[in-house]
Amino acid sequence: MHLLRSTLAVVVVLGAMSGARGGDWPQFLGPTRNDVYAANDVALDWPAAGPKVLWEKKLGAGWSAPVVAGGKLILFHRVGDKETVECLEAATGKPVWSGDYETQYRDDFGFDEGPRGTPAVMDGSVYTFGAEGMLSSWDLKTGKRNWSIDTKKQFNADKGFFGMVCSPLVEGDAVILNVGGTTGKRGGGTGIAAFDKTNGNVLWRATEDEAGYSSPVAATIGGKRYVFALTRAGLVALEPKTGKVIFEFPFRSRSHASVNAASPVVVDDLIFLSASYGTGAALLKFDGDKPQTVWSGEESLSSHYATPVYREGYLYGFDGRQEQGCNFRCIEMKTGKVMWSENGFGAGTVMRVGAELLILHERGELISAAASPEGFKVKAKAQILGAEVRAYGALADGLYFARDREKLVCLDLRKR
């Protein structure tokens, strides 16, 4: 495989998020930010009629995924001209509280005018990042808004193709975002920024990179903690407490009309990067100094927006552009070898539950299959939503939550 000048980082995080319960799904890609559900309380062999629907709810606009913490479900969507945060009882859908603020965001392509960033819940607070760059903290118990920062205005951040999109990463005392700002209070850029989780004050700023559509992740390598953020220009590794840049790895399509959207997959000292638009994939080995390219190329796994999942040496994910029809693939991580490919499968998102995959297809179909390099073996299917799904699903305490453009459903996947 030939070396790439640019790539998208998909970083699977192994470090656990402190403060999250075992049954919670409190942030983008789950408790450990790698789209893995660790509990052993679900059964993915539902009957032909599909899993039991416990409740459903009509929604406003947006592709923000639901999150769950302490038995509470958090939704972030647009209702009318307000970006709205709602807290519900996860098991029943009963309203607990709601909060909102005005928004004037308009999507240049007419796709959707709601928020895309998924909230994060940590230590009794909910953090949201809207399509116009409004970063807010809400009290999980009462819904009171603790503080807000207009990052678009403060840092002169660009709207981008589809608004500002980043799912907040809470690491230690910081809320870390891929902002893409060109200025800061003291000049310079604010490509990546960290905010004090208690009051919103800026802790540090780093790089002058434009924002992509990838959300940062954190991981421990060689006993040290790092944040990995994929900007429009490439992968940036930073110290989470100071924002010191450890390395930058160029990873970008030659096409201007392109995005980096899947998140950076860290397994031990390996970092897997993947993007569409002719970018391809690359595997980096990081020893704490500089990354070394293990392999790169366009033949393995080009992720348009969904982050792949890892199991026992193999990655499972979507290859190709959503509008052109994706393939679903398994590749060997250390070599990039394609083990199998379901060509023309279509787009979607995937999480891992033990030795199985739980795939939410863009057409609203939920699919369970074996996470095996031996082949794509479907265990069960069910049509659970409408025909236009982009948001990730969430799995907490055996309940699965997923949304399309109009509604959210809660499915009971608990073992009987």
Side-chain angles (χ1 to χ4, degrees):
M1 298 181 180
H2 64 278
L3 293 179
L4 294 179
R5 294 181 181 178
S6 58
T7 21
L8 167 69
V10 182
V11 182
V12 171
V13 187
L14 297 182
M17 184 181 187
S18 62
R21 302 188 320 158
D24 287 347
W25 195 270
Q27 61 170 339
F28 182 63
L29 300 180
T32 50
R33 208 104 165 165
N34 60 358
D35 227 4
V36 173
Y37 184 70
N40 187 30
D41 57 358
V42 300
L44 301 185
D45 54 351
W46 53 79
K52 180 181 179 181
V53 179
L54 294 184
W55 57 269
E56 59 183 53
K57 175 181 171 58
K58 184 177 179 181
L59 296 181
W63 291 335
S64 173
V67 294
V68 184
K72 293 180 178 179
L73 174 77
I74 302 297
L75 296 174
F76 187 36
H77 55 151
R78 178 171 176 165
V79 181
D81 285 332
K82 294 182 178 181
E83 287 192 326
T84 302
V85 185
E86 291 190 65
C87 177
L88 314 173
E89 290 183 357
T92 65
K94 180 181 177 181
V96 178
W97 56 259
S98 67
D100 57 48
Y101 54 86
E102 297 286 339
T103 180
Q104 302 300 319
Y105 174 72
R106 293 293 180 266
D107 188 273
D108 293 339
F109 298 88
F111 290 142
D112 190 281
E113 294 182 341
R116 272 87 157 159
T118 296
V121 182
M122 175 59 71
D123 297 332
S125 293
V126 179
Y127 301 93
T128 59
F129 188 61
E132 291 184 298
M134 186 65 73
L135 173 63
S136 301
S137 168
W138 313 78
D139 186 270
L140 177 61
K141 183 179 292 186
T142 66
K144 176 185 176 182
R145 184 151 55 154
N146 300 319
W147 52 261
S148 290
I149 303 294
D150 186 340
T151 65
K152 186 176 190 298
K153 181 179 180 179
Q154 181 168 338
F155 302 116
N156 193 33
D158 189 78
K159 176 183 179 181
F161 293 112
F162 310 107
M164 298 179 70
V165 181
C166 184
S167 300
L169 169 67
V170 183
E171 178 70 16
D173 294 328
V175 181
I176 301 173
L177 287 175
N178 196 346
V179 175
T182 57
T183 62
K185 289 184 177 180
R186 299 179 181 177
T190 310
I192 304 164
F195 303 84
D196 189 315
K197 68 180 183 181
T198 62
N199 55 31
N201 291 340
V202 177
L203 298 177
W204 52 258
R205 299 181 292 111
T207 84
E208 297 184 355
D209 292 351
E210 295 178 81
Y213 287 93
S214 170
S215 297
V217 299
T220 301
I221 299 178
K224 294 183 179 180
R225 197 73 170 159
Y226 299 94
V227 167
F228 297 96
L230 185 68
T231 71
R232 186 160 166 74
L235 179 67
V236 182
L238 312 102
E239 288 185 352
K241 289 185 177 181
T242 66
K244 178 184 176 182
V245 174
I246 306 302
F247 73 79
E248 296 180 80
F249 183 81
F251 216 58
R252 179 177 178 176
S253 170
R254 295 185 181 94
S255 170
H256 173 73
S258 63
V259 297
N260 290 336
S263 279
V265 178
V266 180
V267 178
D268 299 327
D269 60 352
L270 298 176
I271 306 171
F272 177 71
L273 317 173
S274 177
S276 192
Y277 302 94
T279 307
L283 184 69
L284 309 180
K285 185 177 178 63
F286 177 53
D287 61 4
D289 182 20
K290 294 182 179 180
Q292 303 296 321
T293 302
V294 179
W295 62 263
S296 63
E298 297 180 38
E299 300 84 6
S300 292
L301 189 63
S302 300
S303 303
H304 191 182
Y305 65 87
T307 302
V309 296
Y310 172 84
R311 179 174 183 261
E312 296 182 353
Y314 299 92
L315 290 162
Y316 302 85
F318 293 87
D319 169 70
R321 293 272 293 276
Q322 180 270 338
E323 62 269 28
Q324 297 173 357
C326 296
N327 311 311
F328 189 72
R329 285 184 172 177
C330 168
I331 69 167
E332 186 177 44
M333 185 174 186
K334 289 188 176 181
T335 65
K337 178 182 178 182
V338 177
M339 305 306 296
W340 51 258
S341 180
E342 288 293 302
N343 295 334
F345 183 82
T349 60
V350 57
M351 72 168 62
R352 180 168 67 81
V353 182
E356 296 178 272
L357 305 174
L358 192 58
I359 303 164
L360 180 58
H361 198 279
E362 63 178 338
R363 295 191 300 266
E365 189 175 38
L366 187 65
I367 303 166
S368 68
S372 168
E374 300 302 318
F376 186 59
K377 302 172 185 177
V378 174
K379 192 172 185 179
K381 294 183 179 183
Q383 191 72 37
I384 64 169
L385 291 168
E388 193 169 353
V389 178
R390 280 293 187 97
Y392 282 75
L395 184 56
D397 294 321
L399 304 183
Y400 183 76
F401 305 89
R403 62 163 296 175
D404 58 20
R405 297 191 69 168
E406 298 181 351
K407 71 176 182 180
L408 177 135
V409 295
C410 171
L411 307 180
D412 190 353
L413 299 185
R414 291 173 293 189
K415 289 181 178 179
R416 295 292 183 262

